[in-house]
Amino acid sequence: MSHDPSPPHFTYPWQSPLPVPEPVHRPPAHHAPLGHHSDLRLLRSAYRWQRRVATLTALGYFVLFLVLSAFAPSLMTSQVSTGLPLGLVLALVQLPVTWLAIALYESTARRRVDPLADRIRKQSALDARRETRDTRRKEAGR
């Protein structure tokens, strides 16, 4: 069905103008739009915290290793056991510390970030369904 937005033109001057349909007023939604949702702020802060913990775990240890190498070479060359300097032990511990950072990242994702993301995803799908339903109702009312 096509809709002509131009006003009707009357053939006879004694014809009364056509009534203008009143706009349909819808009650406001019971929830805030997704872009202003407080869960998005919570998700951003949880993700930011997650990145900081994982990054500081891995980089913090590596920076500690570098600082000790630069400013405490006698400590780094001291023997832990026969023929095994402390610097080499600390360098080998870097790999498990990196694994620890990855494990921290994944655990905080499962515990803090993923539930928030799932909640926002469900809310977004619900908003999309409501929008589709409202659009269909609007089109059916024409």
Side-chain angles (χ1 to χ4, degrees), residues 37-117:
H37 207 274
S38 64
D39 281 346
L40 288 176
R41 285 191 305 270
L42 292 173
L43 180 64
R44 280 191 299 267
S45 65
Y47 183 60
R48 190 178 308 123
W49 185 85
Q50 175 193 22
R51 287 188 322 239
R52 286 178 184 162
V53 167
T55 302
L56 290 177
T57 301
L59 286 180
Y61 182 81
F62 186 68
V63 168
L64 175 70
F65 176 76
L66 290 178
V67 167
L68 287 175
S69 296
F71 297 108
S74 61
L75 177 69
M76 296 298 275
T77 57
S78 64
Q79 300 291 320
V80 175
S81 67
T82 309
L84 191 60
L86 180 63
L88 181 59
V89 171
L90 291 177
L92 292 175
V93 170
Q94 180 67 41
L95 188 60
V97 168
T98 304
W99 289 338
L100 175 68
I102 292 169
L104 280 172
Y105 189 85
E106 289 179 354
S107 70
T108 56
R110 278 192 297 273
R111 190 176 60 242
R112 295 178 184 234
V113 177
D114 290 347
L116 288 172

Side-chain angles (χ1 to χ4, degrees), residues 104-138:
L104 280 172
Y105 189 85
E106 289 179 354
S107 70
T108 56
R110 278 192 297 273
R111 190 176 60 242
R112 295 178 184 234
V113 177
D114 290 347
L116 288 172
D118 289 340
R119 186 174 6 169
I120 291 172
R121 194 174 297 117
K122 287 176 185 174
Q123 183 66 38
S124 175
L126 183 63
D127 287 345
R129 281 193 299 250
R130 285 180 183 158
E131 183 68 29
T132 303
R133 184 184 64 218
D134 290 346
T135 304
R136 287 182 184 162
R137 285 182 184 169
K138 188 186 292 184

Side-chain angles (χ1 to χ4, degrees), residues 9-53:
H9 299 287
F10 302 110
T11 309
Y12 304 104
W14 58 84
Q15 284 182 327
S16 62
L18 295 175
V20 177
E22 294 189 25
V24 177
H25 295 286
R26 297 192 193 285
H30 297 299
H31 61 282
L34 187 60
H36 302 287
H37 207 274
S38 64
D39 281 346
L40 288 176
R41 285 191 305 270
L42 292 173
L43 180 64
R44 280 191 299 267
S45 65
Y47 183 60
R48 190 178 308 123
W49 185 85
Q50 175 193 22
R51 287 188 322 239
R52 286 178 184 162
V53 167

